[in-house]
Amino acid sequence: MVGITKANFEDVFPTVETAIRKAEFIALDAEFTGLQLNKQTKSTLFDTSEERYAKLRRTISNITICQIGVSAFVKDPDSENKYIAHTFNFYLYPPVFGPVDVRFTCQASSLRFLCKYNFDFNKFIYDGISYLNAEQEQQIQQYLDRKDLFQGVERDVDESAIQKLLSTVAEWMFGTETEKPLEIVKDDEDLLYTQDYILHSELRNRFPDIWTTIDKTKITIEKVGEEKRKSLEKEEVQSKEQQATLTQYVDGLTFYYDKFHKFLPRSYKEFKSEIHKLFPVIIDTKHITNSLRKPLEKTDLLKSTALGSLYEAFHSQKGQQYVIHTPSIALGPGCEHYLEAEFPHEAGFDSYMCGYVFLRIAHIETFRDILSTEVVPCSFRRYLHSTNEYANKINIIRANLNYLSLDCEDPVSERPDLLFVRSKKKSYKLEAGQIARWFSPYGSVDISLKGPNSALVATSHFGCARDILKNFKRHEKVAVSKYSVWKHSPVVRNVFIAGTLLSGGLCAWVLWSSRKQPA
């Protein structure tokens, strides 16, 4: 793993870019400052894909990514059947520049979880790489184009360091050696981390007859006179340093939609369309392992679909030798410590595990129904072809469907019908907690109270629904049945009665699926 912060980003980025360009595929993982904004954004088994997207959109707009892992799996040119995993661990921190000053929420449980796995919060805050999405880039570009820089905007700079710099230049300006350029070494840490464009602006605004150039280590100031200065400004439509200010943010990463592309659109369909354009082929290891769990049940490799458990299973001797000619996977430069220990929930290591598991599964799936005598080392293109039915399908946890499809309509829900619970006596008031305690021994459930005497229950699987109906058939306090939109929805019932009275005959009604939670 190569750890990347703002201190070494410019030096390491060419290596990252080369690895990604050469890669057969890349694996991604991220760590966040939170996972759930509030109770209203909690995932439930009632959620449709649109409803889940709306919840995620609210949460994502209020939290931030603190670490991203990128693993580029490159085919070894010197070996027929070997991949080299080049893994990079980026610490990120939201941008603070001009009008862009991001506010984000932290969830206590998420931070405690990161602490448990030795997350370095100092690197996150002090050394995290700043980044922009397209809208933020436009805001900063407009801000840079204005002449009234810094007016009404708090600056993330050390004012005393700036004042010291200006005093040094003032002394030089009124001295006798202005024929030679003044060179100021950036030995002050505050100057070293101050944006170059801020330094340019402060110096040029204060001294109208100088010209400035800045590199990584020093600031060079020349006395050029006001006429020459105007000429240089005309030539400099947009200074290289100004462009670098944007490039420093924009080129940092281009992977995740909201933080690095655009703010999430309101429309779920628009999001699917846009993300598919950005990434035409996405394979979710959670979805593919869930899909293959039953076909590969006898292998015992998919007992758990948690990433750490999958990596352990496929990294074992059995996992590597289950199908012959499985590709070997070597670690790239800077990742040798992964051989000595595991680093769960470090984004870089998790991205490596994700890619590792995918290659192993892709090889097994490619040759699952083929005689061992016919198994041969193969190209990554063949792996993609063999796993094509799982492409662009993203596992969705605790919802009314198992996955969403990025390149087509989402699948029809395969969850059980909702259950309807009612009190046998009006005096008995239903409580969600009590219903959950009754039903949870049979499986995962979510409760939605519809009044003091009725509730809807979503169950995670058919066995759970069947067992609840069976065991509560003669319950003394509540009656449980399959939910019927005609029988149990007061809205539909009232509309039907009104429609029948108005028309004097039979009315046809177009109804939502009975799986959708009614109002």
Side-chain angles (χ1 to χ4, degrees):
M1 178 275 299
V2 176
I4 303 177
T5 64
K6 66 182 180 183
N8 67 347
F9 175 78
E10 289 187 15
D11 295 329
V12 177
F13 186 72
T15 304
V16 179
E17 187 176 29
T18 299
I20 290 175
R21 290 188 184 281
K22 289 182 177 180
E24 297 289 342
F25 71 99
I26 61 172
L28 303 175
D29 189 80
E31 301 297 336
F32 305 90
T33 59
L35 294 175
Q36 180 186 313
L37 183 61
N38 50 40
K39 288 183 179 180
Q40 287 70 43
T41 59
K42 182 181 178 181
S43 301
T44 77
L45 292 164
F46 292 106
D47 293 345
T48 63
S49 50
E50 290 85 356
E51 289 166 344
R52 178 61 57 84
Y53 173 74
K55 288 182 177 182
L56 288 173
R57 182 175 176 271
R58 285 185 62 196
T59 295
I60 288 169
S61 64
N62 284 279
I63 64 172
T64 195
I65 297 175
C66 50
Q67 194 180 70
I68 280 186
V70 179
S71 285
F73 285 75
V74 179
K75 198 77 178 285
D76 187 345
D78 300 322
S79 175
E80 182 185 17
N81 199 27
K82 181 179 179 181
Y83 291 81
I84 301 173
H86 299 269
T87 298
F88 308 96
N89 194 52
F90 295 84
Y91 280 91
L92 304 179
Y93 193 74
V96 180
F97 189 87
V100 178
D101 186 3
V102 175
R103 291 156 180 79
F104 61 90
T105 298
C106 291
Q107 190 173 347
S109 58
S110 294
L111 298 190
R112 181 172 289 179
F113 178 84
L114 292 173
C115 285
K116 181 180 177 181
Y117 292 98
N118 301 312
F119 182 82
D120 193 332
F121 287 94
N122 283 326
K123 280 189 177 179
F124 163 53
I125 294 171
Y126 289 111
D127 300 322
I129 303 161
S130 292
Y131 52 88
L132 298 173
N133 63 25
E135 284 95 336
Q136 291 169 327
E137 179 188 1
Q138 186 176 19
Q139 288 178 38
I140 287 185
Q141 185 63 69
Q142 292 170 350
Y143 170 74
L144 292 172
D145 289 340
R146 296 201 306 266
K147 297 298 183 183
D148 57 340
L149 295 177
F150 315 129
Q151 288 188 12
V153 179
E154 271 193 54
R155 300 194 292 174
D156 183 30
V157 298
D158 189 303
E159 298 292 347
S160 61
I162 295 291
Q163 189 56 52
K164 183 180 176 182
L165 171 65
L166 294 173
S167 298
T168 301
V169 176
E171 289 179 15
W172 172 77
M173 285 288 291
F174 294 106
T176 58
E177 297 185 7
T178 54
E179 302 84 13
K180 294 190 298 183
L182 172 65
E183 290 188 351
I184 300 175
V185 178
K186 288 184 181 179
D187 52 0
D188 188 312
E189 189 173 288
D190 294 312
L191 283 183
L192 197 61
Y193 289 110
T194 300
Q195 293 290 336
D196 290 350
Y197 192 71
I198 292 177
L199 297 175
H200 280 301
S201 299
E202 284 289 348
L203 289 166
R204 293 181 185 180
N205 289 342
R206 193 68 61 91
F207 305 104
D209 54 350
I210 68 166
W211 192 248
T212 54
T213 54
I214 301 175
D215 60 27
K216 287 183 180 180
T217 59
K218 66 180 185 297
I219 304 167
T220 303
I221 299 150
E222 298 177 79
K223 189 170 184 179
V224 295
E226 291 189 27
E227 290 302 317
K228 178 68 173 175
R229 162 77 174 265
K230 290 178 181 177
S231 174
L232 289 168
E233 285 179 343
K234 285 182 180 179
E235 293 174 11
E236 185 189 61
V237 176
Q238 183 183 46
S239 73
K240 291 180 181 179
E241 287 78 14
Q242 178 176 335
Q243 186 61 46
T245 298
L246 292 174
T247 305
Q248 179 176 330
Y249 288 120
V250 178
D251 287 353
L253 292 167
T254 55
F255 298 115
Y256 290 92
Y257 194 111
D258 183 80
K259 307 304 179 186
F260 312 120
H261 179 53
K262 296 178 182 177
F263 292 121
L264 286 167
R266 290 185 178 277
S267 164
Y268 169 60
K269 287 187 177 180
E270 184 182 344
F271 164 74
K272 291 210 302 181
S273 175
E274 282 286 311
I275 202 74
H276 186 53
K277 288 176 186 175
L278 289 171
F279 301 106
V281 179
I282 296 177
I283 297 179
D284 178 11
T285 52
K286 190 75 171 179
H287 173 70
I288 194 173
T289 51
N290 280 340
S291 301
L292 291 174
R293 203 168 185 178
K294 194 168 184 178
L296 298 179
E297 186 176 11
K298 292 181 180 180
T299 69
D300 286 335
L301 293 172
L302 301 178
K303 284 183 176 179
S304 168
T305 58
L307 182 58
S309 300
L310 288 169
Y311 176 73
E312 186 177 340
F314 285 105
H315 197 254
S316 67
Q317 186 174 8
K318 180 181 179 180
Q320 294 186 53
Q321 296 179 357
Y322 183 75
V323 175
I324 61 171
H325 295 303
T326 187
S328 62
I329 303 170
L331 291 163
C335 304
E336 296 80 6
H337 60 295
Y338 286 168
L339 295 171
E340 301 167 3
E342 294 183 3
F343 298 82
H345 302 291
E346 176 208 81
F349 185 70
D350 282 3
S351 71
Y352 165 68
M353 289 197 296
C354 180
Y356 185 100
V357 167
F358 170 68
L359 265 181
R360 293 280 180 258
I361 290 177
H363 186 73
I364 291 172
E365 178 66 0
T366 299
F367 297 104
R368 179 154 57 103
D369 298 321
I370 294 177
L371 295 173
S372 58
T373 54
E374 298 177 10
V375 176
V376 294
C378 70
S379 66
F380 184 74
R381 185 178 294 275
R382 185 170 177 183
Y383 288 151
L384 274 184
H385 178 75
S386 299
T387 57
N388 184 59
E389 66 177 289
Y390 311 107
N392 299 314
K393 294 177 174 61
I394 308 301
N395 183 70
I396 181 167
I397 299 171
R398 203 176 184 89
N400 81 343
L401 69 169
N402 295 324
Y403 65 88
L404 57 86
S405 298
L406 297 178
D407 56 354
C408 60
E409 292 295 321
D410 288 336
V412 175
S413 174
E414 295 180 356
R415 298 287 194 198
D417 289 336
L418 299 176
L419 300 181
F420 183 76
V421 181
R422 65 172 177 83
S423 303
K424 287 187 173 180
K425 294 181 179 179
K426 284 191 176 182
S427 59
Y428 184 73
K429 309 299 182 186
L430 294 177
E431 295 180 2
Q434 180 60 63
I435 298 173
R437 286 190 290 273
W438 281 337
F439 292 175
S440 58
Y442 306 103
S444 184
V445 297
D446 278 317
I447 318 297
S448 176
L449 293 175
K450 292 300 172 184
N453 301 108
S454 63
L456 289 177
V457 178
T459 57
S460 56
H461 56 85
F462 284 94
C464 175
R466 183 179 60 247
D467 289 344
I468 290 171
L469 287 168
K470 177 182 176 182
N471 287 282
F472 282 79
K473 196 170 185 178
R474 294 182 177 84
H475 196 271
E476 58 179 309
K477 293 183 177 179
V478 296
V480 183
S481 60
K482 289 184 179 180
Y483 175 75
S484 165
V485 69
W486 291 100
K487 185 177 179 181
H488 298 126
S489 171
V491 175
V492 171
R493 200 165 55 239
N494 292 339
V495 170
F496 177 76
I497 293 170
T500 304
L501 291 173
L502 287 170
S503 65
L506 183 65
C507 297
W509 303 94
V510 179
L511 301 172
W512 288 97
S513 164
S514 64
R515 273 294 307 162
K516 182 174 175 61
Q517 184 183 178

